[in-house]
Amino acid sequence: MAQGKVEICGVNTSKLPLLKAAEKEALFSRIEEGDKQAREQYIEGNLRLVLSVIKRFSSSNENVDDLFQIGCIGLIKAIDNFDSSLNVKFSTYAVPMIIGEIRRFLRDNNSIRVSRSLKDTAYKAIYAKENLVKKNMKEPTINEIAEEIGISKEDIVYALDAIQNPMSLYEPVFTDGGDTLYVMDQISDKKNKEENWVEHLSLSEAMKRLNDREHEIISLRFFEGKTQMEVADMIGISQAQVSRLEKNALKTMKNYLTA
């Protein structure tokens, strides 16, 4: 992807406005009242977010103009779905939406190529997490995994994110005479600060699609960092049942979020 490009899709990126927090709040209040002009100002004032995101995909062969356009679609979706009553910054909500939109575009166009170094980092993190779980009988934090393998937590999060397209979350890691352990079971800790945006990424609406048991399992697993065995003990069912219900719940949520 071209670096340092100033003119993207007819937009002079060097002259993009930078909105202050108070300006964003005022504009969004007008947007919620149906003010289309305020919506356009808000979009323009957040285009820097799109620019920062597309830099993550600099290794792709896609045209920077195409990535920018797709990123803008993600930005617009974020604006249209953002709940200002949540205690979360708009950028925290919007960035993963923009990333998701670009990743879907790259996946659908078979253009993404995950480097060997990223794959190696991801596999090291997964393996380290497995060992730490066995050693400490609890799921480790990203910081603990980073310390274990000597790689920064930012690089680990990025590497795990990068392999999600080519690798299925349901790909088995190993079977040790019992229930199969899947990739999803190894990268499911969402309790850390750097991943707190997940809690706000339309999950409140997605979780409303779950039944009471599924809702409880997802809450314990992803918001309290419990292992499947701990959840099984807490609610009085087998680990295999927890695994099955968890996967069904995540599939329901994924279908809602990607619809």
Side-chain angles (χ1 to χ4, degrees):
M1 187 176 74
Q3 296 296 313
K5 186 175 180 181
V6 175
E7 189 80 12
I8 301 178
C9 295
V11 177
N12 188 333
T13 59
S14 67
K15 296 182 179 180
L16 287 175
L18 183 62
L19 298 176
K20 296 180 180 179
E23 292 176 314
K24 289 182 179 180
E25 186 175 346
L27 282 173
F28 210 88
S29 295
R30 289 167 55 192
I31 291 172
E32 292 178 324
E33 295 174 357
D35 189 325
K36 293 183 179 180
Q37 183 178 356
R39 183 172 179 270
E40 292 299 319
Q41 287 182 252
Y42 202 86
I43 292 171
E44 186 177 359
N46 283 280
L47 289 179
R48 290 177 183 270
L49 279 180
V50 178
L51 288 176
S52 67
V53 168
I54 63 177
K55 289 179 181 178
R56 290 187 57 173
F57 299 90
S58 59
S59 60
S60 78
N61 295 321
E62 286 297 326
N63 183 282
V64 65
D65 290 342
D66 292 338
L67 292 181
F68 185 75
Q69 288 181 346
I70 299 301
C72 288
I73 292 174
L75 172 63
I76 292 170
K77 286 184 178 180
I79 293 173
D80 291 343
N81 290 282
F82 182 60
D83 185 349
S84 59
S85 66
L86 294 175
N87 186 28
V88 60
K89 292 182 179 179
F90 174 74
S91 59
T92 305
Y93 177 84
V95 167
M97 293 280 279
I98 297 168
I99 291 174
E101 199 68 31
I102 293 174
R103 287 181 63 216
R104 279 191 291 274
F105 169 75
L106 293 175
R107 180 191 62 216
D108 293 343
N109 286 274
N110 298 314
S111 299
I112 193 164
R113 296 292 184 270
V114 181
S115 70
R116 170 53 56 185
S117 61
L118 274 179
K119 288 181 180 179
D120 288 344
T121 297
Y123 296 146
K124 285 179 182 177
I126 292 171
Y127 183 71
K129 185 170 186 178
E130 173 191 328
N131 287 336
L132 288 170
V133 168
K134 289 180 179 179
K135 178 181 177 181
N136 302 321
M137 300 302 294
K138 67 181 183 69
E139 296 205 21
T141 65
I142 291 292
N143 286 331
E144 289 171 335
I145 295 174
E147 184 176 349
E148 179 74 10
I149 62 178
I151 298 175
S152 72
K153 61 184 180 181
E154 291 80 10
D155 286 344
I156 291 173
V157 172
Y158 182 44
L160 291 175
D161 179 68
I163 68 169
Q164 287 184 32
N165 277 329
M167 176 182 284
S168 170
L169 290 178
Y170 297 101
E171 182 171 329
V173 178
F174 71 89
T175 301
D176 188 18
D179 294 316
T180 301
L181 188 65
Y182 297 91
V183 170
M184 178 171 57
D185 301 324
Q186 295 291 345
I187 57 175
S188 58
D189 183 8
K190 303 299 182 186
K191 194 177 181 180
N192 306 292
K193 288 183 179 180
E194 62 268 30
E195 293 183 333
N196 277 346
W197 57 265
V198 176
E199 298 182 19
H200 304 289
L201 187 59
S202 300
L203 288 184
S204 58
E205 287 299 318
M207 289 183 70
K208 291 178 182 178
R209 273 65 184 173
L210 308 179
N211 60 40
D212 291 342
R213 175 58 60 85
E214 290 172 338
H215 192 287
E216 182 180 16
I217 289 173
I218 294 299
S219 296
L220 291 171
R221 286 279 286 144
F222 289 86
F223 299 115
E224 297 187 26
K226 303 295 183 182
T227 65
Q228 289 185 350
M229 288 301 297
E230 289 174 328
V231 174
D233 290 339
M234 292 176 69
I235 64 179
I237 61 177
S238 70
Q239 185 270 334
Q241 289 176 300
V242 170
S243 178
R244 183 171 63 254
L245 289 169
E246 177 185 315
K247 290 175 176 61
N248 288 339
L250 290 175
K251 183 177 180 180
T252 299
M253 294 170 68
K254 177 183 177 182
N255 289 340
Y256 170 77
L257 290 170
T258 58

